[in-house]
Amino acid sequence: LSLKIDKLRSRSQMFFGIKDELQSTTNWNRAVYELQLLKDCTLPSEKLSVLVNCAHAIYLSNAKEQKEKSADNQYHKHVQSANEAYFVTGDDFLPIVIYVVVQASKTQPCLTDADLHFMEGLIDPTQNRSEPGYYLAV
């Protein structure tokens, strides 16, 4: 598994199916950092919090980069509309998460089946039907 992850880590964002307009110039480093914190967590609630923080980092990174691109477009007066923005949809989110998981798994997988079963089995059922439950399912 580690050898496969090593091979995947050198692949581009496009390889993972991330649309050109959503590719991160920072390689989603904030989300990668957040996910790497998972190995330091012991409680399922802490692990779930890390997953939610990772997802938020993806959305925030995209929003920041889109804002910077928009400002750059206004400055350079490109033909393309400066107000054109690309948002991360549910379909766009999965390839980004896969890319982030691969990048966060430098020495060992950052997220294992045991982690997932642990969180699924021990989280509060109300959380399973809210935002944390959605990100756990993804």
Side-chain angles (χ1 to χ4, degrees):
L1 183 62
S2 294
L3 293 174
K4 289 180 182 179
I5 290 174
D6 282 341
K7 287 181 183 178
L8 287 173
R9 275 207 346 261
S10 64
R11 299 290 185 153
S12 69
Q13 293 179 52
M14 187 180 299
F15 174 83
F16 290 90
I18 300 172
K19 294 178 184 175
D20 287 340
E21 57 271 9
L22 294 176
Q23 291 182 15
S24 172
T25 57
T26 63
N27 293 317
W28 307 101
N29 63 359
R30 181 65 188 174
V32 169
Y33 169 77
E34 291 291 341
L35 196 57
Q36 286 174 332
L37 297 175
L38 193 70
K39 67 182 180 306
D40 299 328
C41 300
T42 35
L43 298 176
S45 58
E46 291 173 337
K47 291 180 181 285
L48 204 53
S49 179
V50 165
L51 291 181
V52 170
N53 290 342
C54 176
H56 288 177
I58 289 171
Y59 289 111
L60 290 172
S61 294
N62 179 63
K64 181 181 177 191
E65 289 194 24
Q66 294 300 324
K67 185 176 179 182
E68 289 170 358
K69 286 178 186 175
S70 177
D72 189 44
N73 284 346
Q74 285 178 342
Y75 180 74
H76 288 87
K77 299 189 190 254
H78 281 266
V79 175
Q80 184 182 36
S81 171
N83 293 327
E84 188 175 339
Y86 296 96
F87 300 99
V88 177
T89 65
D91 290 338
D92 299 327
F93 185 71
L94 186 59
I96 296 170
V97 168
I98 293 170
Y99 178 82
V100 168
V101 168
V102 167
Q103 296 304 315
S105 302
K106 292 191 192 267
T107 57
Q108 61 185 6
C110 65
L111 189 62
T112 64
D113 284 342
D115 287 327
L116 293 174
H117 290 299
F118 183 61
M119 287 186 279
E120 288 171 349
L122 296 176
I123 65 167
D124 181 11
T126 57
Q127 281 188 320
N128 208 15
R129 291 185 297 266
S130 61
E131 183 184 31
Y134 171 76
Y135 294 127
L136 182 58
V138 171

